[in-house]
Amino acid sequence: MAPGKNQSSGVTEFILAGFPNLNNTKAELFSVFLLVYLLTLTGNVLIGVVGADTRLQTPMYFFLGNLSCLEILFTSVIIPKMLSNFLSRQHTISFAACTTQFYFYFFLGASEFLLLAVMSVDRYLAICRPLHYPLLMNGTVCSWVALACWMGGLFPVLGSTVAVALLPFCEQDGVVQHFFCDSGALLRLACTNTKKLEETDFVLASLVIVSSLMITAVSYGHIVLAVLRIPSVSGRQKAFSTCTSHLMVVTLFYGSAIFLYVRLSQSGSVDTNWAATVVTTFVTPPLNPFIYALRNKRVKEALKDMFRKVGAGLWGIFYLLRVSIGRQ
């Protein structure tokens, strides 16, 4: 079989529709999405860099580092190609690139749901079981749990990706009614009955999304009950402020994903699917670093120290350059 070619139908590429109803605002959309992507990269890279600080060598920041890595990869699977389409007259994507994008989008998304559930359990143990926490969440346990989250997304999605890659598609240069190769948009182009595949996707999505949501909800429920028992009013307000921010991001991420994928039929309204996908792709990724970490006092201190060291290093280099130029 030729590289990037679907053997069943001979399809070698698709056309990504992008945002056809917003063609008159391409420049504005490009600027907004580029800014969001740069914010996502900057925020998540900063979390990864400061995570090396000795003050942040805890399970929470270890998991945050993994979340940041997932967010960078998750957005990079979709946004660069979408941005390039804004600048190009041809919005084509090869069959191989399309199936690869499909796989990594769902692999990284599934891993993120599992990781969010683990992070909620970590916070539950830290707040509600503080005496057992160091034993239950030691370095070895954290490493294995993080690996399980990555593997939990890596393998289950593989079967669906192969099934989609083997589907017969009706048209060469078929138009994918989306800004990336999403499952529903691809299944609409297949010239065969995809009901069984949709049912399989529904079961997988339900297992990953709903089960991780239940774990997250139960964990935060116990955390809220523990917070209510805090005698200090200011302590309760601070804890509720943190929990509310976390729950807001989790609700956006889970809500949009459930709307998109926990349903038997993938043939929903194109406009509503776009809107829900924009939330998971452009809203929650830049919010996560600020909600989970950059508001934290210890993270702020670590960032200040890092910038101070970088500034001192740059000043030292500048001073040496001036000295060497003056001697010449």
Side-chain angles (χ1 to χ4, degrees), residues 3 67 71 93 122 129 132 139 145 167 180 182 194-196 203 206 219 253 282 303-304 314:
L67 180 65
E71 293 287 24
I93 183 170
D122 171 71
R129 298 287 186 271
H132 298 93
V145 168
L167 283 174
F180 78 106
D182 195 12
T194 60
K195 185 178 179 181
K196 287 186 178 179
V203 171
S206 300
S219 298
F253 195 57
F282 298 102
L303 279 172
K304 286 178 183 177
L314 291 173

Side-chain angles (χ1 to χ4, degrees), residues 36 46 84 90 101 110 125 131-132 138 144 146 149 152 160 192 194 213 227-228 262 271 282 299 301 316 322-323:
V36 170
L46 282 176
S84 70
Q90 291 186 331
Q101 189 182 63
L125 292 173
L131 297 178
H132 298 93
N138 59 57
W144 279 108
C149 291
S160 295
T192 187
T194 60
L213 174 60
V227 168
L228 290 172
V262 184
D271 290 333
F282 298 102
V299 174
E301 290 173 354
R322 283 188 63 183
V323 170

Side-chain angles (χ1 to χ4, degrees), residues 32-286:
V32 170
F33 291 145
L34 177 61
L35 178 61
V36 170
Y37 184 51
L38 292 176
L39 283 173
T40 301
L41 292 180
T42 303
N44 285 291
V45 167
L46 282 176
I47 298 302
V49 172
V50 299
D53 191 286
T54 53
R55 289 167 291 186
L56 304 179
Q57 298 297 306
T58 64
M60 183 178 78
Y61 294 106
F62 171 74
F63 291 129
L64 278 173
N66 278 268
L67 180 65
S68 294
C69 184
L70 279 170
E71 293 287 24
I72 290 170
L73 294 173
F74 182 76
T75 52
S76 297
V77 165
I78 296 173
I79 299 179
K81 175 61 179 174
M82 189 194 68
L83 291 175
S84 70
N85 283 346
F86 279 122
L87 303 175
S88 172
R89 290 184 178 180
Q90 291 186 331
H91 298 168
T92 57
I93 183 170
S94 70
F95 181 82
C98 188
T99 51
T100 301
Q101 189 182 63
F102 175 96
Y103 174 70
F104 279 99
Y105 172 80
F106 287 104
F107 149 46
L108 295 167
S111 296
E112 186 164 342
F113 283 115
L114 297 174
L115 188 62
L116 287 173
V118 167
M119 289 171 65
S120 67
V121 172
D122 171 71
R123 290 298 82 210
Y124 159 72
L125 292 173
I127 294 170
C128 303
R129 298 287 186 271
L131 297 178
H132 298 93
Y133 181 69
L135 178 64
L136 293 172
M137 298 301 288
N138 59 57
T140 303
V141 171
C142 290
S143 298
W144 279 108
V145 168
L147 180 63
C149 291
W150 286 86
M151 294 299 105
L154 184 69
F155 293 114
V157 178
L158 193 59
S160 295
T161 306
V162 172
V164 169
L166 295 176
L167 283 174
F169 292 98
C170 300
E171 300 177 40
Q172 176 69 15
D173 296 330
V175 179
V176 178
Q177 295 295 333
H178 216 311
F179 54 83
F180 78 106
C181 292
D182 195 12
S183 59
L186 280 177
L187 292 179
R188 288 190 197 98
L189 297 179
C191 49
T192 187
N193 191 331
T194 60
K195 185 178 179 181
K196 287 186 178 179
L197 184 53
E198 290 185 37
E199 289 173 350
T200 303
D201 288 345
F202 168 75
V203 171
L204 284 173
S206 300
L207 285 173
V208 173
I209 299 174
V210 177
S211 61
S212 63
L213 174 60
M214 289 176 64
I215 293 170
T216 303
V218 170
S219 298
Y220 274 107
H222 282 90
I223 290 170
V224 169
L225 292 175
V227 168
L228 290 172
R229 291 194 290 268
I230 296 175
S232 165
V233 175
S234 61
R236 283 201 302 271
Q237 288 177 342
K238 185 179 178 182
F240 269 124
S241 174
T242 303
C243 287
T244 303
S245 301
H246 290 189
L247 287 172
M248 180 183 71
V249 175
V250 166
T251 301
L252 282 172
F253 195 57
Y254 276 103
S256 54
I258 288 171
F259 171 79
L260 284 168
Y261 304 115
V262 184
R263 57 186 184 183
L264 282 171
S265 175
Q266 295 288 322
S267 57
S269 167
V270 172
D271 290 333
T272 53
N273 284 0
W274 273 331
T277 309
V278 164
V279 172
T280 59
T281 312
F282 298 102
V283 178
T284 56

